[in-house]
Amino acid sequence: RQSEERYRRLLAVLPDAILVNRGGRIVFINEQGLQLFGARQPEDVLGRSLYELVHADFHDVVRERIRQLLDCGSTVPEVEEQAVRLDGTIVDVAARAARFQDEAGVGILVVLRDLSMRKVSEQRLRESEERLQSLLGSMEDVIWSSSLDLSVLHYISPSVAQIYGCSAEEFMARPSLWLEVVHAEDRLLAEQAVEALQATGELDVEYRIVRRDGDVRWVHDRGRIIKDDAGHPVRIDGIASDITERKRLQAQLRRTE
């Protein structure tokens, strides 16, 4: 009883769930542990086997970690497991454990951190990224992001293949491809636009590109330098649009005037 009171006073202030496993049974659980497992009172958990509170898929992992602690170690590294609440609900947790010894004998201190909110946040982030990728993939314009000197592409949307005739992977592997495909007569104009970007923070230029199949297209490229919260330039974000049809109509209009 005195040992339990010491555990309670020491561990009650910790934010993680704490269990003490002794002789294959749980002999202590803190308030956070009760909340994690959906228990109303310690008696709902005390006396249970640890395996009752761990998903069956992780029993072998837990068994091996206990063996390591009892045989040859004082601690085992943190791993992600699944705990089982008293109502059968599965909870993702990060588990740590340490071997200790007191007047009552050898015990194992188990620390469980609830990962539910992190897992939900990760899932929402994945879903958001998937929606963004789907949106970017359906756009005709090319969205791109690069380092300040244009030597590294951080991102370029898949639609680049439809306009430039080269895949996004090719551009990511060789960022200089952007200038290489610019029509020879417009290359100086493109280079001057990049120089102006470094001076003004803005890019707005129209130029022709020559695709691998020999097709010549007009592109309107816009971009700007992005700064961090401290005002330091960190990257360039831009968008390139195929304006070939607009240029064709403008030329046709001029011929009819």
Side-chain angles (χ1 to χ4, degrees):
R1 185 65 182 175
Q2 290 179 345
S3 295
E4 181 180 332
E5 289 303 320
R6 283 202 299 272
Y7 295 143
R8 192 181 304 278
R9 289 196 300 269
L10 178 62
L11 303 176
V13 297
L14 298 180
D16 294 330
I18 307 293
L19 309 176
V20 172
N21 181 34
R22 199 192 295 272
R25 298 291 171 179
I26 297 170
V27 298
F28 172 82
I29 183 169
N30 68 349
E31 182 62 32
Q32 290 76 11
L34 296 179
Q35 295 176 15
L36 175 65
F37 289 102
R40 290 192 296 264
Q41 55 192 1
E43 288 72 21
D44 294 336
V45 177
L46 298 182
R48 289 176 179 262
S49 166
L50 184 62
Y51 296 104
E52 295 181 54
L53 303 178
V54 177
H55 192 281
D57 290 348
F58 295 90
H59 282 186
D60 288 344
V61 174
V62 172
R63 189 174 293 109
E64 174 60 21
R65 284 162 65 83
I66 291 176
R67 187 197 65 77
Q68 291 177 12
L69 287 169
L70 295 179
D71 290 352
C72 56
S74 58
T75 63
V76 287
E78 182 175 284
V79 296
E80 291 191 11
E81 301 173 352
Q82 288 185 324
V84 181
R85 290 166 55 92
L86 297 186
D87 62 3
T89 305
I90 305 300
V91 183
D92 291 304
V93 296
R96 289 171 289 154
R99 179 182 183 273
F100 71 95
Q101 186 165 2
D102 58 13
E103 67 273 13
V106 174
I108 295 176
L109 182 74
V110 182
V111 182
L112 302 175
R113 187 172 73 257
D114 189 346
L115 299 179
S116 301
M117 292 306 298
R118 195 194 80 181
K119 294 288 186 178
V120 169
S121 298
E122 290 175 349
Q123 178 63 26
R124 288 176 177 170
L125 178 60
R126 282 194 296 270
E127 292 173 352
S128 177
E129 290 176 344
E130 289 171 0
R131 287 194 296 269
L132 177 59
Q133 289 298 325
S134 177
L135 176 63
L136 292 175
S138 66
M139 292 181 62
E140 295 182 356
D141 293 336
V142 177
I143 308 298
W144 57 270
S145 180
S146 77
S147 59
L148 294 171
D149 61 1
L150 299 174
S151 65
V152 176
L153 266 179
H154 303 312
Y155 176 81
I156 190 164
S157 59
S159 51
V160 69
Q162 279 68 51
I163 297 179
Y164 286 81
C166 300
S167 69
E169 291 75 17
E170 289 178 279
F171 273 95
M172 293 293 290
R174 196 165 91 243
S176 61
L177 190 57
W178 167 77
L179 191 59
E180 294 171 18
V181 299
V182 174
H183 193 289
E185 295 178 4
D186 295 342
R187 196 162 295 161
L188 179 60
L189 176 66
E191 292 173 343
Q192 290 173 339
V194 171
E195 292 176 2
L197 167 67
Q198 302 299 333
T200 67
E202 299 287 338
L203 172 74
D204 194 334
V205 60
E206 295 179 358
Y207 53 81
R208 289 167 292 174
I209 61 170
V210 182
R211 291 163 49 98
R212 287 173 176 167
D213 59 8
D215 187 26
V216 177
R217 295 194 183 184
W218 276 96
V219 172
H220 183 195
D221 212 348
R222 290 143 290 165
R224 66 188 180 96
I225 292 178
I226 305 300
K227 299 180 180 180
D228 61 18
D229 293 338
H232 302 128
V234 291
R235 69 179 189 276
I236 302 170
D237 288 349
I239 180 171
S241 307
D242 187 341
I243 59 170
T244 305
E245 183 62 16
R246 191 188 80 191
K247 287 292 188 178
R248 186 188 67 80
L249 292 175
Q250 288 175 344
Q252 185 179 15
L253 181 60
R254 284 195 297 269
R255 287 195 298 269
T256 59
E257 290 178 347

